[in-house]
Amino acid sequence: MTDTPTSNGSSAARARGLEGALVERIAELAPTLLCVLDVRDRRIVACNRAFVRALGIGDEDALERGWETLISRIHPEDLGASPAHLEQLRAAKDGEPLEGSLRARSTGGVERTFALRCVVLERGDDDAAVRQILVSAEDITERKRREMELQKNEALLQAFLEHMPAMMFAKDSDSRYVVANAQFDRFMGMGPQSITGKRDHDILPEDIVSRVKAADDEVRNTGIATAFEESVPHPTEGMKQFYSVKFPVRGPGIPAGTIGGAAIDITAIKQAEAERQEAQQAIIAAQQATIRELATPLMPIAHGVLVMPLIGALDPERASRIIEALLDGVGAHQATIAIIDITGVRSADAHVAGVLLQAARAVKLLGARVVLTGIQPAIARTLVDLGVDWQGLVTEATLRGGIDYALRSRVRRGGPVPG
């Protein structure tokens, strides 16, 4: 330690024997800043080399002008708190340390943070006021920086978890929740951190618990993350659909069997998908209905006269639609004559003949007649070869001929004369 001269000019550093020299040597080599301050006379009584290096002044100057240098380096806010700290020291018992921290500029003007321990060495004789104190200071700038960085990261992580729209959680091997974010608490209708410490069977129905446990155990046993869709009951809104991911959580101090999870509510997405599928089915149904209408067109051309032109092949399904459309049209338009034009039918066989005869008989039951037009020579030969009985069925070579026949029949029956 560097000592100040006493009032009688003798040096304060005296030979104290081997033990005293060893203690002084330890103080000199210690990385901790050590000094004795006389707060009444405002001077540094003694200090070690670590203190001198921190101030950036010479050994001789440390005692002569160290007080002014020290005061100029301390942060103004911390310097302003010094009287209060002295009062705390005054109230402390002898030998009882007062701990705190202080910001000061070191050599080069860089601000550092120091952890302080102050102990009263000497008090005044009359008022017990603090006179000399022993100060030890440790540079904790890097430690504080790391602590602040850690606090910042923890705050960021906490904010991330709290504002995450997905439910996030971690469970131990007994399915006890050790971490749960605010979204999870809100979903379960609980207050902040209410789920922590609870198990699945405390908050979920038994059938859901068994399913959740099976998924958890799969992650624990395989050590592989899994993703799946699941249904989870909401306390007031019924079942919700979630896309969930579960994964093993490992690391120092983390108990074996701990798993983490995240679940995103996809109920609205699933509902939208169902609505889109329903709308798509409706569109398909409408398209099919339109195709059926186009495949079996029915056109009223005059009062009591309908025309149904047929094109393409006549399979059993289409034949049923033809008869249905024809009967509906006759009834709706109160038709007396229905013209079926088969000019566009590619070929005729027993099935086609049967369809035409069924249509004619069905229409006749409604009090109307069928006029068959557009019979091609090849089809006529096929129908003759099949021995189809066309008795009572009116036929015309062309659609125009069928229309003329229908109009003449209406005139003979006293129907309106076309203009």
Side-chain angles (χ1 to χ4, degrees):
M1 301 284 285
T2 303
D3 299 326
T4 58
T6 61
S7 58
N8 58 10
S10 63
S11 172
R14 300 185 177 93
R16 301 184 183 93
L18 182 61
E19 183 178 348
L22 179 60
V23 171
E24 186 172 349
R25 182 65 174 164
I26 291 173
E28 283 296 306
L29 298 178
T32 301
L33 281 65
L34 299 172
C35 68
V36 176
L37 301 180
D38 189 321
V39 296
R40 188 185 67 177
D41 296 339
R42 296 178 179 273
R43 64 189 180 89
I44 297 176
V45 177
C47 61
N48 68 346
R49 293 195 177 279
F51 185 86
V52 172
R53 287 195 299 269
L55 287 181
I57 57 179
D59 291 349
E60 297 300 328
D61 294 337
L63 300 180
E64 292 182 6
R65 56 187 182 87
W67 180 272
E68 290 75 12
T69 303
L70 176 61
I71 295 301
S72 67
R73 300 284 181 83
I74 299 176
H75 193 283
E77 292 180 2
D78 296 340
L79 186 62
S82 297
H85 293 159
L86 287 175
E87 283 300 317
Q88 292 176 354
L89 278 172
R90 184 177 185 277
K93 299 178 181 178
D94 288 346
E96 180 182 353
L98 176 66
E99 297 183 348
S101 63
L102 177 143
R103 293 165 292 175
R105 290 180 291 109
S106 63
T107 304
V110 179
E111 184 175 282
R112 313 291 292 180
T113 301
F114 297 89
L116 301 181
R117 288 173 61 89
C118 302
V119 180
V120 176
L121 291 181
E122 184 181 335
R123 297 180 184 271
D125 296 333
D126 299 332
D127 56 2
V130 177
R131 179 174 181 180
Q132 291 186 356
I133 59 176
L134 170 64
V135 178
S136 65
E138 180 185 357
D139 191 339
I140 59 171
T141 304
E142 289 303 312
R143 188 176 76 189
K144 292 290 289 185
R145 183 191 64 79
R146 290 192 297 269
E147 289 177 354
M148 292 180 62
E149 190 68 24
L150 181 60
Q151 291 174 358
K152 178 181 176 182
N153 291 337
E154 288 179 347
L156 177 61
L157 178 59
Q158 187 65 26
F160 175 81
L161 291 174
E162 294 305 298
H163 293 87
M164 168 67 71
M167 298 192 302
M168 302 189 72
F169 57 88
K171 293 189 283 187
D172 62 17
S173 57
D174 293 329
S175 295
R176 181 186 293 104
Y177 289 89
V178 293
V179 173
N181 69 343
Q183 183 71 8
F184 203 144
D185 289 326
R186 286 193 292 268
F187 179 84
M188 300 308 300
M190 299 182 178
Q193 301 301 318
S194 297
I195 293 179
T196 303
K198 290 183 170 57
R199 293 182 172 89
D200 287 324
H201 62 74
D202 296 324
I203 59 177
L204 295 173
E206 190 59 36
D207 58 330
I208 302 294
V209 171
S210 59
R211 193 174 68 209
V212 170
K213 187 177 186 306
D216 292 351
D217 289 343
E218 180 181 356
V219 174
R220 293 189 181 102
N221 295 334
T222 63
I224 300 174
T226 61
F228 52 91
E229 293 183 9
E230 62 179 339
S231 299
V232 179
H234 188 277
T236 60
E237 300 177 12
M239 296 300 290
K240 294 284 189 177
Q241 293 294 116
F242 282 87
Y243 180 80
S244 300
V245 178
K246 292 185 177 180
F247 47 90
V249 179
R250 305 185 184 94
I254 299 177
T258 301
I259 64 170
I264 299 176
D265 188 345
I266 58 172
T267 305
I269 296 175
K270 285 295 185 180
Q271 290 176 346
E273 288 180 355
E275 291 172 0
R276 283 196 297 270
Q277 291 179 354
E278 184 178 349
Q280 186 176 12
Q281 292 298 324
I283 292 173
I284 292 174
Q287 290 173 340
Q288 291 176 342
T290 301
I291 292 172
R292 287 194 297 269
E293 291 178 0
L294 293 175
T296 56
L298 192 65
M299 298 175 292
I301 60 171
H303 181 74
V305 180
L306 300 176
V307 175
M308 176 179 281
L310 301 179
I311 301 174
L314 301 180
D315 55 33
E317 181 181 356
R318 187 182 178 197
S320 177
R321 292 200 303 267
I322 288 172
I323 295 174
E324 181 181 354
L326 188 60
L327 295 178
D328 289 344
V330 169
H333 295 280
Q334 298 181 348
T336 57
I337 297 177
I339 301 172
I340 300 178
D341 181 62
I342 62 172
T343 304
V345 176
R346 294 191 295 270
S347 62
D349 53 16
H351 170 67
V352 172
V355 171
L356 297 176
L357 288 175
Q358 287 180 15
R361 291 166 184 166
V363 169
K364 187 176 182 180
L365 292 176
L366 295 180
R369 289 178 294 168
V370 169
V371 177
L372 188 61
T373 65
I375 301 177
Q376 304 300 317
I379 295 179
R381 285 194 297 270
T382 301
L383 296 178
V384 170
D385 293 340
L386 292 172
V388 177
D389 183 11
W390 299 100
Q391 186 176 359
L393 185 65
V394 179
T395 61
E396 292 288 341
T398 64
L399 176 59
R400 181 174 181 178
I403 294 174
D404 289 343
Y405 171 83
L407 296 179
R408 289 195 305 270
S409 297
R410 290 173 64 256
V411 172
R412 286 195 299 270
R413 294 188 179 190
V417 179

